[in-house]
Amino acid sequence: MESLRDKYEVVIGLEVHAQLKTKSKIFAPDGTEFGKDPNSETSPITLGMPGVLPVLNKEVVNMGILTGLALNCEIPARCKFDRKQYFYPDLPKGYQISQYDEPICVNGHIDIKGKRIGITRAHLEEDAGKLVHAGAAGLAGSSYSLVDLNRAGTPLLEIVSEPDMRSAEEARAYMEELRNIVRYIGVCDGNLEEGSMRCDANISIMPKGSKEFGTRAEIKNVNSFSALQRAIEYEIDRQIEIVEDGGKVVQETRLWDDNTRETRSMRGKEDAHDYRYFPEPDLMPLEISREWVQEIKDKMPELPEQKRQRYMGLGLSEYDASVIVEQMGLALFFDKVLELGATPKIAVNFIMGEIAAYLKENHIEITDTKLTPENLVELIALIEKNTISNNIGKQIIIDMMKDGMKASEIVEKRGLSQISDEGAIKEVCQKVVDANPEQVEKYRGGKVQLLGFFVGQVMKETKGRANPKAVNDLMKEILG
């Protein structure tokens, strides 16, 4: 299949639904908290009772504008809402209020590793509820489903990319950066596992060199980055196989099954005219003044790419900067450490080293530990003052994360202060030399790399407390 792929170019566009972090729904006062008892976050508006009217949540609009600006979009002076006449069994009204021809954001882009990916539009809409199939609850063979309307009416921003991606890796990188952006600007928590960020992928193939896109298939509601990449890879191979066998790819909507690692047909793909859009009669068109847009722009927080560039300006590698930015809690922690005056390089060595390893091993975030920025800054200061060695710092940072103790308290309690007295260090160095005559002879015979062995033995004898520079200097002096 790899060789066959060389014959084709892949075309990918993503439609990402980001659930906005408002306290109430887009057109109703009900709450939006995840995990509440089924149907407890509902009102007559959510339930589509006769005579009820939608009232637009202003904070939804603010978040829509903020996201558009972060995605380099134009914010039109006017947008409007439309009815999408498509039957949702979990939307009691029987239609969805969305935006069609006049969305809140248009013509944007984000840059991923030097490549610009266009954003056609981003529009506001209400989410549907959730069907709970009885079979999944343990009633195998049951012929009914239950509905939970807590999510119905929750505000969504659907971000539609241009078909600019050419591989599953690019699509994943775009999705990851999009999540970074919405999290950093505070409009969406980006929890794919809770469904607060979902992705539909449109995939087609065409012969290399062709200018005409092939027939696309849409994969619905992929809920993890790895699943997105796997689903796209599978769909590429599926479409190539169909074409190579002389068949034609049909336009349809497919579902990804992460257990079987394959897509399966769900329904024929609808086009816009199938939804029978018409202007929502219960909501007036929305006029967005330039002053309103500027007011939101003035409050724009630092975006992920800006943060990466700032970190690299401090001497961090592109890799280190990217890893820290990817974990927002870690980036905010690092910023506080920098704000408190820590040396960036030493701080990042701890964060990318012992701290990152501990977080990964325990599957937790930095906020789940008891380490504070203040305590890390104090630890770095002890190292820079030569009160403790860097190795001792690496040993105690884990305890600091576990119990929240200050570095100075641990050092005092365990007697870990660095030995800088040259007389005491020289005594240990001489002891190590006397105990290893064979290595001494080899060193003096030209095998100078053995210096590391001697230094290591001294550090072992002193339990890491000896000043490394003093050990090196004195050992060279003794060995001649």
Side-chain angles (χ1 to χ4, degrees):
M1 189 58 75
E2 285 298 323
S3 59
L4 287 176
R5 280 199 183 190
D6 293 338
K7 294 170 58 179
Y8 296 93
E9 186 169 4
V10 180
V11 179
I12 303 167
L14 299 186
E15 300 169 10
V16 177
H17 294 79
Q19 182 178 308
L20 300 178
K21 283 173 62 176
T22 53
K23 292 180 180 178
S24 56
K25 295 181 179 177
I26 185 169
F27 303 121
D30 329 346
T32 57
E33 187 178 338
F34 179 79
K36 287 293 192 77
D37 290 339
N39 298 304
S40 61
E41 298 278 29
T42 57
S43 67
I45 297 174
T46 299
L47 297 175
M49 295 296 187
V52 298
L53 293 171
V55 177
L56 180 59
N57 183 339
K58 183 178 180 181
E59 190 56 25
V60 170
V61 181
N62 286 335
M63 288 185 175
I65 295 171
L66 178 61
T67 309
L69 293 172
L71 300 177
N72 304 293
C73 290
E74 301 167 20
I75 310 298
R78 165 190 152 118
C79 68
K80 70 178 178 68
F81 289 90
D82 302 271
R83 284 192 185 181
K84 186 178 181 182
Q85 301 290 339
Y86 177 77
F87 177 68
Y88 289 85
D90 42 9
L91 258 182
K93 298 191 303 291
Y95 59 84
Q96 180 190 40
I97 300 178
S98 181
Q99 292 185 314
Y100 177 44
D101 57 338
E102 294 186 60
I104 192 168
C105 311
V106 295
N107 301 331
H109 67 268
I110 54 177
D111 295 323
I112 309 291
K113 297 177 180 176
K115 177 173 180 177
R116 178 154 295 183
I117 295 174
I119 292 171
T120 311
R121 56 187 278 137
H123 61 264
L124 297 169
E125 62 185 19
E126 59 183 339
D127 204 350
K130 179 182 178 183
L131 289 178
V132 182
H133 304 296
L139 302 175
S142 176
S143 59
Y144 66 90
S145 296
L146 304 173
V147 65
D148 178 5
L149 294 173
N150 281 349
R151 201 172 65 188
T154 297
L156 295 179
L157 186 70
E158 180 174 346
I159 302 162
V160 182
S161 83
E162 289 286 323
D164 288 343
M165 289 158 271
R166 294 294 179 267
S167 69
E169 292 79 11
E170 276 188 9
R172 176 174 181 159
Y174 166 84
M175 179 73 171
E176 288 176 339
E177 184 67 356
L178 203 54
R179 185 177 77 155
N180 281 339
I181 291 170
V182 297
R183 291 180 72 195
Y184 273 97
I185 63 176
V187 302
C188 175
D189 58 28
N191 288 335
L192 280 73
E193 63 279 4
E194 292 181 2
S196 59
M197 195 168 183
R198 310 192 292 277
C199 176
D200 301 338
N202 290 285
I203 302 147
S204 66
I205 60 169
M206 60 183 179
K208 281 241 171 107
S210 173
K211 294 183 178 179
E212 186 177 340
F213 290 171
T215 302
R216 75 185 188 278
E218 180 184 40
I219 305 175
K220 293 290 285 185
N221 289 339
V222 185
N223 62 0
S224 77
F225 298 126
S226 56
L228 174 67
Q229 189 166 346
R230 287 193 293 267
I232 292 173
E233 294 285 1
Y234 175 87
E235 187 59 23
I236 293 169
D237 289 339
R238 185 189 74 88
Q239 292 186 22
I240 290 175
E241 191 173 330
I242 290 171
V243 173
E244 286 291 316
D245 288 344
K248 289 187 176 181
V249 176
V250 298
Q251 184 173 325
E252 62 180 340
T253 298
R254 300 181 67 85
L255 288 176
W256 169 250
D257 188 326
D258 211 34
N259 293 318
T260 61
R261 301 291 173 89
E262 61 184 13
T263 62
R264 64 176 186 271
S265 184
M266 178 183 176
R267 61 174 182 263
K269 171 62 182 170
E270 299 87 351
D271 286 312
H273 64 264
D274 294 315
Y275 294 122
R276 293 179 292 125
Y277 285 100
F278 69 85
E280 169 55 59
D282 293 330
L283 288 166
M284 294 288 289
L286 182 64
E287 303 291 336
I288 301 176
S289 70
R290 299 306 88 186
E291 292 76 18
W292 188 358
V293 174
Q294 188 60 47
E295 183 183 332
I296 292 172
K297 190 173 187 178
D298 290 342
K299 297 175 184 176
M300 175 75 71
E302 186 178 41
L303 296 172
E305 182 56 26
Q306 294 169 331
K307 198 175 283 288
R308 276 189 211 96
Q309 294 300 325
R310 176 163 62 85
Y311 289 167
M312 289 164 65
L314 295 172
L316 275 66
S317 70
E318 184 177 1
Y319 173 79
D320 287 352
S322 295
V323 170
I324 293 174
V325 170
E326 185 68 32
Q327 304 175 59
M328 190 169 74
L330 205 56
L332 298 177
F333 182 93
F334 183 47
D335 282 344
K336 183 64 176 176
V337 169
L338 294 177
E339 187 183 308
L340 292 168
T343 303
K345 191 57 184 170
I346 299 177
V348 81
N349 284 343
F350 273 107
I351 287 172
M352 291 297 297
E354 288 67 34
I355 293 175
Y358 180 79
L359 298 181
K360 184 177 180 181
E361 182 183 340
N362 292 279
H363 307 288
I364 57 175
E365 301 281 337
I366 187 73
T367 49
D368 298 320
T369 74
K370 294 184 178 179
L371 181 67
T372 66
E374 291 78 8
N375 284 358
L376 179 57
V377 170
E378 185 202 42
L379 174 65
I380 292 169
L382 290 176
I383 293 170
E384 291 184 316
K385 291 175 187 172
N386 290 323
T387 304
I388 61 172
S389 69
N390 195 55
N391 284 335
I392 292 293
K394 289 178 179 180
Q395 291 173 33
I396 68 176
I397 188 70
I398 303 300
D399 292 325
M400 292 169 67
M401 285 192 278
K402 288 179 178 177
D403 58 32
M405 286 181 68
K406 289 184 176 180
S408 55
E409 291 173 354
I410 297 175
V411 169
E412 185 177 346
K413 185 177 179 181
R414 300 185 191 171
L416 297 174
S417 295
Q418 184 163 270
I419 302 169
S420 296
D421 178 75
E422 286 198 5
I425 295 173
K426 192 168 187 177
E427 190 176 317
V428 180
C429 287
Q430 189 61 57
K431 180 182 173 183
V432 168
V433 168
D434 293 343
N436 296 279
E438 287 184 27
Q439 283 80 1
V440 170
E441 188 177 339
K442 288 177 183 177
Y443 177 87
R444 288 172 175 163
K447 204 170 181 181
V448 293
Q449 61 266 38
L450 278 170
L451 178 65
F453 164 78
F454 291 109
V455 171
Q457 291 300 304
V458 173
M459 298 308 288
K460 186 177 178 181
E461 283 285 328
T462 61
K463 296 180 180 177
R465 293 176 57 208
N467 184 308
K469 186 178 184 306
V471 174
N472 267 277
D473 293 344
L474 290 167
M475 189 56 80
K476 285 178 184 176
E477 181 185 311
I478 293 170
L479 290 170

